């Protein structure tokens, strides 16, 4: 949920900047895509900086856990960057949604086995609350990156 906090804070700052007169940020969907891109880029980089945390999360039945961590991290980075380009943002968004669904078993694994990830991430309540937030994030991606804007 740390990345979810980053998402909300970034979106809030972008909205504040829009209200302060930065007209480029007046588009709600653009602000949502930028905030999502920053969040996924951060999360993806963390796969390379702290792979040991992600290794603990991996279900034992998955082959090549380290390689899967690097692949998913790269997918998060490239998917986030893709959100910033209108010509591919919808494809990038669908890719990120598929990625979130693909990594969901790792989050379930953490909650079921109360895997100790360090600090607040080791608390069972955090681990279980994290699961529905995956679907909130999927909705967020859909809302800001896939759905058609209504004409006003």
């Amino acid at each position: 949920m740390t990345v979810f906090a980053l998402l909300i804070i970034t979106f809030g700052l972008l909205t504040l900047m829009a209200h302060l007169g930065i007209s480029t940020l007046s588009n709600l969907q653009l602000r949502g895509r930028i905030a999502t891109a920053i969040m996924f880029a951060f999360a993806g980089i963390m796969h390379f900086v702290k792979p040991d945390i992600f290794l603990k999360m991996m279900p034992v039945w998955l082959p090549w856990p380290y390689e899967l961590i690097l692949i998913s991290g790269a997918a998060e980075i490239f998917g986030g960057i893709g959100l910033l380009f209108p010509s591919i943002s919808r494809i990038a968004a669908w890719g990120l949604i598929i990625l979130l669904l693909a990594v969901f078993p790792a989050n379930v694994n953490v909650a079921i086995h109360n895997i100790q990830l360090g600090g607040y991430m080791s608390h069972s309540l955090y681990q279980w609350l994290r699961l529905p937030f995956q679907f909130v994030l999927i909705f967020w991606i859909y809302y800001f990156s896939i759905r058609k804007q209504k004409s006003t």
Side-chain angles (χ1 to χ4, degrees):
M1 288 195 310
T2 303
V3 292
F4 196 72
L6 175 63
L7 176 68
I8 298 302
I9 291 167
T10 303
F11 183 75
L13 289 173
L14 292 168
T15 300
L16 176 63
M17 292 166 63
H19 289 300
L20 291 175
I22 300 176
S23 61
T24 310
L25 297 174
S26 64
N27 182 293
L28 180 69
Q29 283 191 297
L30 177 61
R31 292 194 310 267
R33 283 196 316 273
I34 292 171
T36 308
I38 290 168
M39 182 209 67
F40 272 104
F42 172 78
I45 290 167
M46 293 310 295
H47 283 67
F48 294 91
V49 174
K50 295 194 176 259
D52 52 315
I53 291 174
F54 298 95
L55 275 171
K56 292 178 186 178
M57 298 174 70
M58 295 295 279
V60 294
W61 49 268
L62 283 173
W64 313 296
Y66 182 74
E67 291 79 5
L68 288 173
I69 289 164
L70 298 182
I71 291 167
S72 62
E76 288 181 356
I77 294 167
F78 288 119
I81 292 169
L83 293 177
L84 300 175
F85 296 92
S87 61
I88 61 169
S89 65
R90 293 178 117 211
I91 294 168
W94 280 116
L96 290 170
I97 288 172
I98 292 167
L99 178 65
L100 286 171
L101 294 172
V103 302
F104 190 73
N107 291 315
V108 171
N109 184 53
V110 169
I112 289 173
H113 296 104
N114 191 26
I115 295 173
Q116 300 300 295
L117 300 173
Y120 65 90
M121 295 187 301
S122 293
H123 295 288
S124 181
L125 179 63
Y126 169 84
Q127 295 170 350
W128 285 102
L129 284 175
R130 196 175 162 180
L131 299 176
F133 274 100
Q134 294 260 166
F135 296 100
V136 171
L137 189 52
I138 287 170
F139 176 77
W140 177 284
I141 293 167
Y142 175 81
Y143 185 84
F144 288 110
S145 303
I146 296 172
R147 78 173 177 94
K148 300 252 189 233
Q149 276 187 319
K150 293 180 182 173
S151 301
T152 55

